[in-house]
Amino acid sequence: MLEEELLSVWLRLTSVIDNQRLAVSQTVPGGKAPLPFNEAMVCGLLVRAQEQGHCLTASDLCRQTRILKSQMNAILRVLEQKGAVSRQRSRQDRRLVELRLLPEGLACYEETHRRVLAVADALAEELGEDAVRTLLPLLRRVADIFDKTCQEV
């Protein structure tokens, strides 16, 4: 059945992408522990937010990643212990706790991101530019359909 084949390929792809060994690098500046997948994803979101001049809260990260609040708090606790992230009360709304990526966290993220980009580069080289340009809109559409379908179920 076509649906079974689609599901099989989808599960294989997501397990490869979500595999922590993809994100974890062997050497990280300063000799700090490398970033597993979820930590790297959170740091990436913090990098992009800071580049745009704003901060994120744990709730913002939960919404964007669909990670449960308890899991997000555990991820943030580990990132704080690594010296990668700090939490600070918002100056505008003291009820909110804003997250900031620290220089150590940025260095670890950049190393991890470099490794992941090398994997994406190898994939793009193997497929070729035309195939990648065809694939990108299809993958975006698949992600949109998946989001919509999961919200409806």
Side-chain angles (χ1 to χ4, degrees), residues 35-68 72 75-76 79 84-85 98-102 105-106 108-110 112-113:
L35 297 176
F37 181 82
N38 284 339
E39 292 175 29
M41 183 171 50
V42 165
C43 288
L45 291 170
L46 293 174
V47 165
R48 285 186 281 293
Q50 286 176 204
E51 287 173 350
Q52 296 170 0
H54 42 79
C55 294
L56 296 176
T57 65
S59 294
D60 295 330
L61 291 170
C62 289
R63 219 176 1 267
Q64 290 182 34
T65 62
R66 294 191 179 95
I67 293 175
L68 297 174
M72 182 59 69
I75 292 166
L76 293 172
L79 286 170
V85 170
E98 298 175 333
L99 300 161
R100 300 205 190 308
L101 189 64
L102 300 173
L106 180 59
C108 290
Y109 170 75
E110 287 174 341
T112 302
H113 189 66

Side-chain angles (χ1 to χ4, degrees), residues 81-94:
Q81 290 169 352
K82 290 181 178 181
V85 170
S86 70
R87 300 182 205 219
Q88 298 174 349
R89 289 256 171 229
S90 169
R91 291 181 183 159
Q92 288 79 24
D93 185 345
R94 301 291 295 161

Side-chain angles (χ1 to χ4, degrees), residues 123 127 129-142:
L123 175 65
L127 288 174
E129 186 175 337
D130 289 342
V132 172
R133 291 195 186 284
T134 301
L135 183 60
L136 287 175
L138 288 171
L139 288 175
R140 284 187 193 100
R141 186 166 177 216
V142 166

